[in-house]
Amino acid sequence: MNAASAVKEGNFVSKADRINLHNKNGFTRQEDDMILEEVRKNPHRRSTHKLFHEIAEKIGRHTGNSIRYRFRTHLQNELKYVYKTDDEGNLITDSVGKYIPTEAMPSTMKNKFTARDDYTLAKAVMDNIADRPESTPDDARDLVLPGKFFEQMAKDHPNHTRAAWRDRYRKFVVPYGVDKYLSYYEDELSANRVPEEIKNFTGR
């Protein structure tokens, strides 16, 4: 029930909510709580615009941008915990079906990949190939890495999730070329230049 409905039905509404009812841009406590709860359910997406547009559709009287601004400037410090999710962002429940709170904030989907990240990933791929040469295809684009590879990447380099490492490999490193990026990165360092992260699929 929102504040306006509470007033119509004669239920108690806080002073702050009564004030906000007269200000179309104001947020009620109920709306703030809804925003926090939705973010807790989607911790990996808390930096994305799409999440806040989805919340806006549920609230109905604020835009996604205004809700995102509200969260970042007023509510973020109230986010004392989120709910546990798996590497794909799916909520994990306990034995009775309740969400599991955790104070450990997972990486966000928009955690930017750096040139060092791309090099680390490409190097790990080449090391994996070296460990199993008999199953390595002629074209690296046909290489299928085991799921445990990305689990280990997330464990060794927790600045990105397993899903993020996997997507970076499929959508950026493979199209660019694993060995090609390794050569580029090392050549840039040798020339005392700063390597760039992979920004497109065409390579150099």
Side-chain angles (χ1 to χ4, degrees):
M1 178 187 299
N2 60 33
S5 299
V7 170
K8 288 180 181 179
E9 296 179 15
N11 294 331
F12 173 77
V13 179
S14 70
K15 180 179 179 181
D17 283 352
R18 288 199 301 272
I19 292 173
N20 282 331
L21 283 172
H22 299 288
N23 176 8
K24 66 179 181 179
N25 294 320
F27 283 81
T28 67
R29 182 66 250 181
Q30 289 96 326
E31 289 169 341
D32 284 346
D33 289 342
M34 179 184 290
I35 294 168
L36 287 168
E37 188 67 4
E38 289 299 318
V39 173
R40 290 185 183 115
K41 292 177 182 178
N42 299 275
H44 287 96
R45 302 172 60 207
R46 66 186 185 277
S47 66
T48 66
H49 287 274
K50 185 176 181 180
L51 172 61
F52 294 99
H53 284 302
E54 291 173 1
I55 297 174
E57 292 178 357
K58 294 181 179 181
I59 292 179
R61 71 185 195 100
H62 297 287
T63 66
N65 286 336
S66 66
I67 291 173
R68 185 170 183 265
Y69 180 80
R70 175 71 174 177
F71 173 73
R72 297 181 69 180
T73 59
H74 293 87
L75 302 178
Q76 195 159 233
N77 289 338
E78 294 186 33
L79 193 70
K80 304 301 182 184
Y81 66 92
V82 295
Y83 297 122
K84 283 187 176 181
T85 62
D86 60 22
D87 289 335
E88 305 298 329
N90 301 308
L91 286 163
I92 299 173
T93 56
D94 60 19
S95 59
V96 295
K98 292 185 177 181
Y99 300 138
I100 304 171
T102 176
E103 294 181 3
M105 295 290 173
S107 300
T108 65
M109 293 177 66
K110 284 196 172 181
N111 198 11
K112 185 179 179 181
F113 276 83
T114 65
R116 183 64 187 176
D117 289 334
D118 286 338
Y119 179 79
T120 298
L121 177 55
K123 188 71 168 58
V125 171
M126 294 304 291
D127 290 344
N128 183 272
I129 291 174
D131 289 340
R132 52 190 186 104
E134 71 287 347
S135 60
T136 302
D138 294 333
D139 191 333
R141 288 174 296 183
D142 296 327
L143 176 66
V144 177
L145 292 169
K148 289 183 178 180
F149 172 84
F150 297 105
E151 290 178 7
Q152 191 63 45
M153 285 296 298
K155 182 178 179 180
D156 294 342
H157 310 282
N159 53 319
H160 298 291
T161 65
R162 181 187 69 174
W165 282 116
R166 182 195 61 203
D167 288 347
R168 187 68 177 182
Y169 171 70
R170 292 177 178 175
K171 298 177 181 179
F172 288 83
V173 176
V174 168
Y176 190 103
V178 178
D179 53 352
K180 185 177 181 179
Y181 188 75
L182 288 173
S183 296
Y184 157 73
Y185 186 95
E186 292 168 358
D187 288 345
E188 290 295 282
L189 291 183
S190 297
N192 292 319
R193 293 189 295 263
V194 179
E196 295 182 2
E197 69 277 12
I198 300 173
K199 295 181 179 179
N200 56 57
F201 305 152
T202 58
R204 289 177 176 270

